Amino acid sequence: MTQKLYDLKGRPRIVVTGMGAVTPNGIGVDAFWQSLKSGQSGIGKITRFDATDFPSKIGGEVKGFEPTDYIDRKEARRMDRFTQLAIASAHMAIADSGIEISPKKADRIGVTIGSGIGGMETLTDQFAVLDSKGPNRISPFFVPMMIANMAAGQIAITFGAKGPNATLVTACASSSHALGEAVRVLQRGEADVMISGGSEAAFVPIAFAGFCSMKALSTRNDEPERASRPFDKERDGFVMGEGSGILILETLEHALNRDAKIYGEIVGYGSTADAYHITAPEPEGEGGARSMEMAIRDASLEPTEVDYINAHGTSTPQGDIGETLAIKRVFGDHAYKLLVSSTKSMTGHLLGAAGAIETIASILAISEGIIPPTINLENPDGECDLDYVPNIARKADISVALTNSFGFGGQNATLIIKKYQ
């Protein structure tokens, strides 16, 4: 029994027992997964502000989200949208897991959440108040609504989780780092359960204008659903999205003791820096390659044991080539046997929440034996020559999935999920 509970390095095995998702192509894990399997895009014209004067006018907005379905109306008004999304997906994940957070066990249940930008909507709103009405009209809730750690703080307050609590801010790698660090907390024995993932809600003019100014966003405005096209020769930038993904991680021993259902096992975590440029990835994918290699070593696996990669795959000209080169560097000939797909083709890029959502997609790909496709891959880039599962989901019996997240600042994170046995 002891050998079963610990990995080859003598650390507690870490399993996923609950998941919640609020995404542009579905609220709830089931809706999200059905959309991915059917190749359904969640991208459309921006409605959260007037984008008439912006070069890009499209995005992956969460549609039909009602905060009061999950949060008391008064409390919801004191939360930024990114916190509301996080609370909602945490509600789903906790309910899915069947975990009971009692006062007796509260200090053994922790929270790690990633967010790249935090309460940008609140910041924008309060700047307008300051400009039009003066400093005395700024909300007393402005700072605690805006700061990036408040999703983690509010999850702990809402559910009574008194264990280790932290927020990871590494741009688009934030929630993958949050999940990886949650694994480390559990492996160190500092908690039995972690509520972990990410949330982002940055559809405000100033943030969107910033990405437009960098020429990072797609301007395929007349065809929103076809705009995010990772690895395609005609890709012209990423499509911004919003949403949240939360997972319940537990030590295997704790999960077995309460007879929890187990979706899969997180067996590897890698974290590196490009140390190259504030926004551009290292052209040969060197930092991403080392992140994957670190995760594979951490998992005590051989590269040939990896079956599927949920790619960072943002649909940017440089990024997709760099990630392809990184995969080839790590996997050699096996790279051409791997199944690789980018679910950002359907969700857009959820920034700091992307890693958590894509970890959920990877877990479901393993458990259901279905690889979600890379939609809009119609004219493959000659420099992107792997099997990206174009346009149609594919049945495949896979045991090990790897998911990449790469952020501005050259911060990289890789997670490896394995079928639970």
Side-chain angles (χ1 to χ4, degrees), residues 286 288-298 329-330 414:
E286 186 270 343
R290 285 188 294 106
S291 183
M292 286 186 271
E293 288 169 346
M294 183 183 292
I296 291 167
R297 287 196 304 271
D298 188 52
R329 179 185 294 217
V330 173
T414 299

Side-chain angles (χ1 to χ4, degrees), residues 149-161:
N149 70 306
M150 200 46 67
Q154 287 281 24
I155 286 172
I157 291 165
T158 300
F159 301 104

